[in-house]
Amino acid sequence: KVNDVVLNAEQYIGQYDGEPHTITTEIGGENKDGLEIWYKLAGQDWTKDNPQAQHVSDQEVWVKAWKPGYEPVWISGKESEADSHVTLRITPVEIVLTANSASKVYNGEPLTAGGYSISKGAFVNGDGVENVTVVGSQTEVGSSWNRITEWTLIEGTNSANYSITTENGTLTVTPVTDEVVVTIVGNTKEETYDGQPHTVTGYDVTD
């Protein structure tokens, strides 16, 4: 057994950024000379190569310090191989696609807004979405949702690296508030006098 040696291992948990990541290890103590750090993933053999994770994944990395002729040194505070492991985890980027909102004064024509924005998160290294379909229309006074119904990923984008959700926009049509002045002109009619009462109905409205 090698005495006066400490093996430290620090887990890595981080959001996907397109870069490879590893756990961090270090040997300390008076008798560390000659010891090498070994690594193992579940179901695999020990190796001197520190495992890397670049895409979304969740795994445990077993660690020991060892040199021939001596018992292994486990991570500080661990008593056996079964406990001598730390986490290597890459989590997905949370992306929120938000449909555009728009408003206008009522004019009898439908209000639409086909765009969107990324309101949370960011795609990495050229990843992204395209062909985003936004559906919504509001003609009468009032409001309704503007919804993202579908999208596709840009070629090369790994869907596992992202958690994509959507939020609705709002389409709002407001009443006409400008003052409108109209002129009402009653209809007229000429008759030859015959001693009888006559009436005229109807009127014209002009701006």
Coordinates of all heavy atoms in Angstrom, one line a residue, residues 99-150:
A99 N -42.7 33.3 -30.9 CA -43.4 33.9 -32.1 C -43.5 35.4 -31.9 O -43.7 35.9 -30.8 CB -44.7 33.3 -32.3
N100 N -43.4 36.1 -33.0 CA -43.5 37.6 -32.9 C -44.9 38.0 -32.5 O -45.9 37.3 -32.8 CB -43.2 38.2 -34.3 CG -41.7 38.2 -34.6 OD1 -40.9 37.9 -33.7 ND2 -41.3 38.6 -35.8
S101 N -45.0 39.2 -31.9 CA -46.2 39.8 -31.6 C -46.4 41.0 -32.5 O -45.4 41.6 -33.0 CB -46.3 40.2 -30.1 OG -46.3 39.1 -29.2
A102 N -47.6 41.4 -32.7 CA -47.9 42.6 -33.5 C -49.3 43.2 -33.1 O -50.1 42.5 -32.5 CB -47.9 42.2 -35.0
S103 N -49.4 44.5 -33.4 CA -50.7 45.1 -33.2 C -51.0 46.2 -34.2 O -50.1 46.7 -34.8 CB -50.8 45.7 -31.8 OG -49.8 46.8 -31.7
K104 N -52.3 46.5 -34.4 CA -52.6 47.6 -35.3 C -54.1 48.0 -35.0 O -54.8 47.3 -34.3 CB -52.5 47.1 -36.8 CG -53.6 46.1 -37.2 CD -53.5 45.9 -38.7 CE -54.7 45.0 -39.2 NZ -54.7 44.8 -40.7
V105 N -54.4 49.2 -35.6 CA -55.8 49.7 -35.5 C -56.6 49.0 -36.5 O -56.2 48.7 -37.6 CB -55.8 51.2 -35.7 CG1 -57.3 51.7 -35.7 CG2 -55.0 51.9 -34.6
Y106 N -57.8 48.7 -36.2 CA -58.7 47.9 -37.1 C -58.8 48.6 -38.4 O -59.1 49.8 -38.5 CB -60.1 47.8 -36.4 CG -61.2 47.3 -37.4 CD1 -61.2 45.9 -37.6 CD2 -62.0 48.1 -38.1 CE1 -62.1 45.4 -38.5 CE2 -63.0 47.6 -39.0 CZ -63.0 46.2 -39.2 OH -63.9 45.7 -40.1
N107 N -58.6 47.8 -39.5 CA -58.9 48.4 -40.8 C -59.5 47.3 -41.8 O -59.6 47.5 -43.0 CB -57.5 48.8 -41.5 CG -56.6 47.6 -41.7 OD1 -56.9 46.5 -41.3 ND2 -55.4 47.9 -42.3
G108 N -60.1 46.3 -41.2 CA -60.8 45.3 -41.9 C -59.9 44.2 -42.6 O -60.4 43.3 -43.2
E109 N -58.6 44.4 -42.5 CA -57.6 43.4 -43.1 C -57.0 42.6 -42.0 O -56.8 43.1 -40.9 CB -56.5 44.2 -43.9 CG -57.0 45.0 -45.0 CD -57.6 44.2 -46.1 OE1 -57.1 43.0 -46.3 OE2 -58.5 44.7 -46.8
P110 N -56.7 41.3 -42.3 CA -56.1 40.4 -41.2 C -54.7 40.9 -40.8 O -53.9 41.3 -41.7 CB -56.1 39.1 -41.9 CG -56.1 39.3 -43.4 CD -56.9 40.6 -43.5
L111 N -54.4 40.8 -39.6 CA -53.1 41.1 -39.0 C -52.4 39.8 -38.8 O -52.9 38.8 -38.2 CB -53.2 41.8 -37.7 CG -51.9 41.9 -36.8 CD1 -51.0 42.9 -37.6 CD2 -52.3 42.5 -35.4
T112 N -51.2 39.7 -39.4 CA -50.3 38.5 -39.3 C -48.9 38.9 -38.9 O -48.5 40.1 -39.1 CB -50.3 37.6 -40.5 OG1 -49.7 38.4 -41.6 CG2 -51.7 37.1 -40.9
A113 N -48.1 38.0 -38.4 CA -46.7 38.3 -38.0 C -46.0 36.9 -38.1 O -46.1 36.1 -37.3 CB -46.6 38.9 -36.7
G114 N -45.2 36.7 -39.2 CA -44.6 35.4 -39.5 C -43.3 35.2 -38.9 O -42.7 34.1 -39.0
G115 N -42.7 36.2 -38.2 CA -41.3 36.0 -37.6 C -41.3 35.4 -36.2 O -42.3 35.1 -35.6
Y116 N -40.1 35.2 -35.8 CA -39.9 34.7 -34.4 C -38.5 35.2 -33.9 O -37.7 35.7 -34.7 CB -39.9 33.1 -34.4 CG -38.6 32.5 -35.0 CD1 -37.6 32.1 -34.2 CD2 -38.5 32.4 -36.4 CE1 -36.4 31.5 -34.8 CE2 -37.3 31.9 -37.0 CZ -36.3 31.4 -36.1 OH -35.2 30.9 -36.7
S117 N -38.3 34.9 -32.6 CA -37.0 35.3 -32.0 C -36.6 34.1 -31.1 O -37.4 33.3 -30.7 CB -37.0 36.6 -31.3 OG -37.9 36.5 -30.2
I118 N -35.3 34.1 -30.8 CA -34.8 33.1 -29.8 C -34.7 33.9 -28.5 O -33.8 34.8 -28.3 CB -33.4 32.6 -30.1 CG1 -33.5 31.7 -31.4 CG2 -32.9 31.7 -29.0 CD1 -32.2 31.2 -31.9
S119 N -35.7 33.7 -27.6 CA -35.8 34.5 -26.4 C -35.0 33.9 -25.2 O -34.9 34.6 -24.2 CB -37.3 34.6 -26.0 OG -37.9 33.4 -25.9
K120 N -34.5 32.7 -25.3 CA -33.7 32.1 -24.3 C -32.7 31.1 -24.9 O -33.1 30.3 -25.8 CB -34.5 31.4 -23.3 CG -33.7 30.7 -22.1 CD -34.6 30.0 -21.1 CE -33.8 29.4 -20.0 NZ -34.7 28.7 -19.0
G121 N -31.5 31.2 -24.5 CA -30.4 30.2 -24.9 C -29.8 30.7 -26.3 O -30.2 31.7 -26.8
A122 N -28.9 29.9 -26.7 CA -28.2 30.2 -28.0 C -27.7 28.9 -28.6 O -27.2 28.0 -27.8 CB -27.1 31.2 -27.8
F123 N -27.8 28.8 -29.9 CA -27.2 27.6 -30.5 C -25.7 27.7 -30.6 O -25.2 28.8 -30.6 CB -27.8 27.5 -31.9 CG -29.3 27.0 -31.9 CD1 -30.3 27.9 -32.1 CD2 -29.5 25.6 -31.8 CE1 -31.6 27.4 -32.1 CE2 -30.9 25.2 -31.8 CZ -31.9 26.1 -31.9
V124 N -25.0 26.6 -30.8 CA -23.6 26.5 -30.7 C -23.0 26.1 -32.1 O -23.5 25.3 -32.7 CB -23.1 25.5 -29.6 CG1 -21.6 25.3 -29.6 CG2 -23.7 25.9 -28.3
N125 N -21.9 26.8 -32.4 CA -21.1 26.4 -33.6 C -21.9 26.1 -34.9 O -21.7 25.1 -35.5 CB -20.3 25.1 -33.2 CG -19.3 25.3 -32.2 OD1 -18.9 26.4 -31.9 ND2 -18.9 24.2 -31.5
G126 N -22.7 27.1 -35.2 CA -23.5 27.0 -36.4 C -24.7 26.1 -36.4 O -25.4 26.0 -37.4
D127 N -25.0 25.6 -35.2 CA -26.3 24.8 -35.1 C -27.5 25.8 -35.1 O -27.3 27.0 -34.9 CB -26.3 24.1 -33.7 CG -25.4 22.9 -33.7 OD1 -24.9 22.5 -34.7 OD2 -25.1 22.4 -32.6
G128 N -28.7 25.3 -35.4 CA -29.8 26.2 -35.4 C -31.0 25.5 -36.0 O -31.1 24.3 -36.2
V129 N -32.1 26.4 -36.2 CA -33.3 25.9 -36.8 C -33.6 26.7 -38.0 O -33.0 27.8 -38.2 CB -34.5 26.1 -35.8 CG1 -34.4 25.2 -34.6 CG2 -34.6 27.6 -35.4
E130 N -34.4 26.1 -38.9 CA -34.8 26.8 -40.1 C -36.3 26.4 -40.4 O -36.8 25.5 -39.8 CB -33.9 26.5 -41.3 CG -33.8 25.0 -41.6 CD -32.7 24.7 -42.6 OE1 -32.1 25.6 -43.2 OE2 -32.5 23.5 -42.9
N131 N -36.8 27.0 -41.5 CA -38.2 26.7 -41.9 C -39.2 26.7 -40.7 O -40.0 25.8 -40.5 CB -38.2 25.3 -42.5 CG -37.3 25.2 -43.7 OD1 -37.2 26.1 -44.5 ND2 -36.6 24.0 -43.9
V132 N -39.1 27.8 -39.9 CA -39.9 27.9 -38.8 C -41.3 28.4 -39.3 O -41.4 29.5 -39.9 CB -39.4 28.9 -37.8 CG1 -40.3 29.1 -36.6 CG2 -38.0 28.4 -37.3
T133 N -42.3 27.7 -38.9 CA -43.7 28.0 -39.4 C -44.4 28.7 -38.2 O -44.5 28.2 -37.1 CB -44.5 26.8 -39.8 OG1 -43.8 26.2 -40.9 CG2 -45.9 27.2 -40.2
V134 N -44.9 29.9 -38.5 CA -45.7 30.7 -37.5 C -47.1 30.9 -38.0 O -47.3 31.4 -39.1 CB -45.0 32.1 -37.2 CG1 -45.8 32.8 -36.1 CG2 -43.6 31.9 -36.7
V135 N -48.1 30.5 -37.2 CA -49.5 30.6 -37.6 C -50.3 31.5 -36.7 O -50.3 31.3 -35.5 CB -50.1 29.2 -37.7 CG1 -51.6 29.2 -38.0 CG2 -49.4 28.3 -38.7
G136 N -51.0 32.4 -37.3 CA -51.9 33.3 -36.5 C -52.5 34.4 -37.4 O -51.8 34.8 -38.3
S137 N -53.7 34.8 -37.1 CA -54.3 35.9 -37.8 C -55.4 36.5 -36.9 O -56.2 35.8 -36.2 CB -55.0 35.3 -39.1 OG -55.6 36.3 -39.8
Q138 N -55.5 37.8 -37.0 CA -56.5 38.5 -36.2 C -57.1 39.7 -37.1 O -56.3 40.6 -37.5 CB -55.9 39.1 -34.9 CG -56.9 39.8 -34.0 CD -57.9 38.9 -33.4 OE1 -57.6 37.7 -33.2 NE2 -59.1 39.4 -33.1
T139 N -58.4 39.6 -37.4 CA -59.0 40.7 -38.2 C -59.9 41.6 -37.4 O -59.7 42.8 -37.5 CB -59.8 40.0 -39.3 OG1 -59.0 39.2 -40.1 CG2 -60.5 41.1 -40.2
E140 N -60.7 41.1 -36.6 CA -61.6 41.9 -35.8 C -60.9 42.4 -34.5 O -59.8 42.0 -34.2 CB -62.9 41.1 -35.4 CG -63.6 40.5 -36.5 CD -64.2 41.5 -37.5 OE1 -64.5 42.6 -37.0 OE2 -64.2 41.3 -38.7
V141 N -61.5 43.4 -33.9 CA -61.0 44.0 -32.7 C -60.8 42.9 -31.6 O -61.8 42.1 -31.4 CB -61.8 45.1 -32.2 CG1 -61.4 45.6 -30.8 CG2 -61.8 46.3 -33.2
G142 N -59.7 42.8 -31.0 CA -59.4 41.7 -30.0 C -58.0 41.2 -30.2 O -57.2 41.7 -30.9
S143 N -57.8 40.1 -29.5 CA -56.4 39.5 -29.5 C -56.5 38.0 -29.7 O -57.5 37.3 -29.3 CB -55.7 39.8 -28.1 OG -55.5 41.2 -28.0
S144 N -55.4 37.4 -30.2 CA -55.3 36.0 -30.4 C -53.9 35.6 -30.4 O -53.0 36.4 -30.5 CB -56.0 35.5 -31.7 OG -55.4 36.1 -32.8
W145 N -53.6 34.3 -30.2 CA -52.2 33.8 -30.1 C -51.6 33.7 -31.5 O -52.3 33.5 -32.5 CB -52.2 32.4 -29.5 CG -52.6 32.3 -28.1 CD1 -53.5 31.5 -27.5 CD2 -51.9 33.0 -27.0 NE1 -53.6 31.7 -26.2 CE2 -52.6 32.6 -25.8 CE3 -50.9 33.9 -26.9 CZ2 -52.3 33.1 -24.6 CZ3 -50.6 34.4 -25.6 CH2 -51.3 34.0 -24.5
N146 N -50.3 34.0 -31.6 CA -49.5 33.7 -32.8 C -48.6 32.6 -32.4 O -47.8 32.7 -31.5 CB -48.7 35.0 -33.1 CG -48.2 35.0 -34.6 OD1 -48.9 34.5 -35.4 ND2 -47.1 35.7 -34.8
R147 N -48.7 31.4 -33.1 CA -48.1 30.2 -32.6 C -47.0 29.7 -33.6 O -47.2 29.8 -34.8 CB -49.2 29.1 -32.4 CG -50.2 29.4 -31.3 CD -51.1 28.2 -31.2 NE -52.0 28.3 -30.1 CZ -53.2 28.9 -30.1 NH1 -53.6 29.4 -31.2 NH2 -54.0 29.0 -29.0
I148 N -46.0 29.1 -33.0 CA -45.0 28.4 -33.8 C -45.5 26.9 -33.8 O -45.6 26.3 -32.8 CB -43.6 28.5 -33.2 CG1 -43.1 29.9 -33.2 CG2 -42.6 27.5 -33.9 CD1 -41.7 30.2 -32.5
T149 N -45.7 26.4 -35.0 CA -46.3 25.1 -35.1 C -45.2 24.0 -35.5 O -45.4 22.9 -35.2 CB -47.4 25.1 -36.1 OG1 -46.9 25.5 -37.4 CG2 -48.6 26.0 -35.7
E150 N -44.2 24.4 -36.2 CA -43.1 23.5 -36.6 C -41.9 24.2 -37.0 O -41.9 25.4 -37.3 CB -43.6 22.6 -37.7 CG -44.0 23.3 -39.0 CD -44.5 22.4 -40.1 OE1 -44.3 21.1 -40.0 OE2 -45.2 22.8 -41.0

